[in-house]
């Protein structure tokens, strides 16, 4: 019995750590080299760009069966992505744009330019180079829904396969995806409508992978004896801590350096972002409190007890209940900015100047 308890506690501790660890960050460098979108990334700029960390299970605990990494570059016209995904059986069936691509194995990109968990973009692609691009005005947890008619106009993508597609008679090695997204579209939801040179956006990547079955030599998602699909695997760059990509506050940080690929650039996540993580923690607690008690928590010590410090500085959250919901705000001891989380998950920063 003690051994069972110890195993459970170790697992719980790992899960708790995964939920608390800081999001990952990546520096994307600016290239002057013309990038040909062919799925091969043979340009010198791509060779100089660094690979991301290995993808991990979405909760941040388990190591995936197959390795996945990404690279990023940018220029004045496009934001570029390149991924390599190891896979012994490469298959895809969906050919209609804006269908639910994650019913196949796929690669996904999530982008929130201003980091407010609102008006964010999602892009999915399978091994047939079929894409689904969509916009979410607000997250699903707040009743948001996908706007399928929204497109990343001018997006370019290509898939390269080391192996064969939809052929169960052999074993494949990997498939690569290369993508160019026009800034003209991406900056429509950015804070000032401009390319974030020497600034950061919140971005994350996901790879959905399914166990498969074969029928008449054709691949499909595996089903149990009752005809139910087995659950998919969700492998991500920056761990979410929960099985949900639609909590943008957990996404990684991508800093867009105007230096050339191969250069050196140090990026440190701003301290105000750590306050933002704290505010989203209070947001989730407030939602849970309301679900249990059918009313909002008041005063603030029902959500957080004792003194709260971030990087050695005291932070004092202030809770205000109003007619349509609530606000929780913190005056940053680092910048003097007022940071606010609303009942709908929207984040607002009021600059001190």
């Amino acid at each position: 019995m003690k051994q069972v308890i110890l195993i459970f506690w170790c697992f719980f501790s790992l899960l708790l750590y995964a939920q608390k660890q800081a999001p990952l960050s990546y520096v994307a460098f600016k290239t002057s080299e013309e990038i040909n979108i062919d799925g091969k990334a043979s340009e010198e700029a791509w060779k100089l760009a660094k690979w991301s960390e290995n993808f991990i299970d979405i909760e941040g605990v388990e190591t995936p069966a197959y390795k996945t990494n990404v690279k990023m570059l940018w220029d004045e016209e496009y934001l570029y992505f390149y991924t390599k995904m190891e896979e012994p059986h490469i298959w895809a069936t969906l050919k209609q744009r804006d269908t639910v691509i994650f019913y196949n194995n796929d690669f996904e990109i999530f982008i929130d330019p201003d980091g407010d968990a609102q008006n964010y973009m999602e892009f999915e692609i399978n091994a047939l180079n079929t894409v689904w691009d969509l916009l979410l005005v607000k997250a699903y947890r707040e009743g948001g829904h996908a706007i399928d008619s929204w497109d990343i106009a001018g997006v370019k993508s290509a898939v390269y396969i080391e192996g064969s597609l939809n052929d169960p008679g052999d074993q494949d090695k990997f498939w690569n995806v290369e993508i160019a997204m026009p800034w003209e579209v991406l900056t429509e939801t950015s804070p000032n409508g401009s390319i974030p040179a020497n600034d950061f956006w919140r971005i994350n990547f996901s790879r959905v992978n399914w166990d498969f079955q074969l029928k008449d030599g054709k691949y499909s998602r595996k089903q149990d004896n009752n005809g139910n699909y087995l659950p998919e695997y969700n492998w991500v760059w920056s761990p979410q801590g929960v099985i949900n990509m639609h909590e943008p506050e957990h996404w990684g940080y991508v800093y867009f350096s105007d230096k050339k690929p191969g250069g050196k650039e140090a990026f440190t996540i701003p301290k105000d972002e750590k306050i933002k993580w704290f505010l989203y923690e209070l947001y989730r607690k407030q939602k849970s409190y309301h679900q249990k008690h059918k009313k909002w928590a008041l005063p603030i010590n029902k959500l957080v007890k004792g003194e709260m410090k971030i990087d050695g500085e005291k932070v004092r959250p202030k809770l205000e209940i109003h007619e349509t919901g609530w606000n929780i705000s913190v005056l940053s001891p680092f910048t003097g900015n007022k940071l606010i989380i609303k009942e709908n998950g929207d984040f607002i920063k009021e600059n001190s100047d």
Side-chain angles (χ1 to χ4, degrees):
M1 183 65 181
K2 289 182 179 179
Q3 187 177 13
V4 172
I5 294 173
L6 178 60
I7 292 172
F8 172 80
W9 175 249
C10 289
F11 173 79
F12 178 77
S13 298
L14 284 171
L15 183 58
L16 186 62
Y17 172 77
Q19 291 175 329
K20 294 295 185 181
Q21 65 178 306
L24 298 179
S25 60
Y26 181 90
V27 176
F29 289 95
K30 185 179 182 181
T31 178
S32 58
E33 185 177 7
E34 183 177 352
I35 304 296
N36 179 35
I37 304 301
D38 57 5
K40 298 179 181 179
S42 56
E43 292 82 5
E44 185 65 18
W46 277 130
K47 294 176 183 178
L48 291 171
K50 291 183 178 180
W51 286 110
S52 72
E53 295 84 352
N54 294 339
F55 279 30
I56 193 168
D57 181 78
I58 191 169
E59 292 179 287
V61 177
E62 297 181 3
T63 300
Y66 310 125
K67 187 179 177 183
T68 309
N69 303 91
V70 295
K71 293 183 177 185
M72 295 180 64
L73 292 169
W74 66 282
D75 60 23
E76 291 294 335
E77 189 173 1
Y78 293 102
L79 174 55
Y80 300 99
F81 304 91
Y82 179 63
T83 182
K84 180 178 181 180
M85 296 170 282
E86 294 182 351
E87 174 62 63
H89 292 276
I90 302 172
W91 63 277
T93 60
L94 301 173
K95 300 179 181 180
Q96 176 65 45
R97 181 171 180 149
D98 288 342
T99 192
V100 183
I101 299 299
F102 64 77
Y103 287 163
N104 284 172
N105 293 342
D106 77 350
F107 175 68
E108 304 179 356
I109 303 170
F110 297 82
I111 305 174
D112 182 7
D114 57 3
D116 65 352
Q118 313 279 318
N119 296 310
Y120 61 88
M121 296 159 270
E122 180 179 351
F123 179 92
E124 302 183 6
I125 186 169
N126 67 6
L128 282 167
N129 197 23
T130 308
V131 306
W132 182 21
D133 42 5
L134 54 146
L135 178 71
L136 286 101
V137 176
K138 54 184 177 180
Y140 291 129
R141 63 188 174 192
E142 291 294 342
H145 64 276
I147 302 177
D148 289 329
S149 58
W150 178 87
D151 287 338
I152 303 176
V155 66
K156 297 186 287 185
S157 63
V159 174
Y160 172 77
I161 296 173
E162 188 69 25
S164 56
L165 179 64
N166 292 327
D167 182 0
D170 64 358
Q171 192 166 89
D172 310 311
K173 293 183 178 179
F174 58 84
W175 60 296
N176 296 342
V177 177
E178 189 174 14
I179 302 163
M181 294 185 182
W183 284 116
E184 184 178 7
V185 177
L186 299 183
T187 53
E188 287 180 340
T189 64
S190 66
N192 52 18
S194 61
I195 297 173
N198 300 317
D199 202 352
F200 67 87
W201 279 5
R202 301 300 299 274
I203 293 177
N204 210 354
F205 305 97
S206 173
R207 176 183 176 182
V208 173
N209 223 69
W210 298 87
D211 289 322
F212 67 87
Q213 62 189 23
L214 290 169
K215 184 176 182 181
D216 299 327
K218 294 183 178 180
Y219 289 97
S220 63
R221 290 181 288 161
K222 191 171 185 177
Q223 297 170 292
D224 62 19
N225 294 332
N226 296 317
N228 301 311
Y229 292 112
L230 298 183
E232 76 280 10
Y233 302 97
N234 296 279
W235 304 329
V236 305
W237 167 50
S238 190
Q240 292 287 110
V242 293
I243 306 176
N244 185 358
M245 286 303 298
H246 292 274
E247 293 192 1
E249 62 270 21
H250 299 304
W251 296 353
Y253 290 78
V254 175
Y255 181 81
F256 301 95
S257 172
D258 62 2
K259 295 180 181 177
K260 296 179 180 179
K264 293 184 178 181
E265 183 74 78
F267 170 68
T268 301
I269 297 173
K271 292 182 178 181
D272 274 9
E273 291 295 304
K274 299 179 181 182
I275 297 176
K276 182 191 290 189
W277 306 339
F278 171 55
L279 286 172
Y280 271 106
E281 186 177 327
L282 296 181
Y283 157 82
R284 288 187 288 272
K285 287 183 178 180
Q286 181 70 293
K287 289 288 185 178
S288 296
Y289 187 94
H290 189 272
Q291 187 175 24
K292 182 178 180 179
H293 300 283
K294 308 304 177 186
K295 63 180 180 179
W296 300 120
L298 187 72
I300 192 69
N301 61 15
K302 289 186 176 182
L303 301 178
V304 57
K305 298 183 184 299
E307 184 179 273
M308 182 66 195
K309 284 189 175 182
I310 295 177
D311 281 3
E313 295 289 339
K314 293 181 182 179
V315 292
R316 297 178 175 84
K318 179 181 179 182
L319 171 62
E320 297 175 301
I321 303 292
H322 52 79
E323 188 173 343
T324 59
W326 50 267
N327 294 336
I328 300 177
S329 61
V330 167
L331 189 64
S332 169
F334 309 113
T335 63
N337 295 334
K338 187 176 183 180
L339 309 177
I340 306 167
I341 189 79
K342 297 172 61 178
E343 74 283 339
N344 64 355
D346 190 11
F347 175 82
I348 299 172
K349 179 177 72 173
E350 295 180 355
N351 293 327
S352 57
D353 53 2

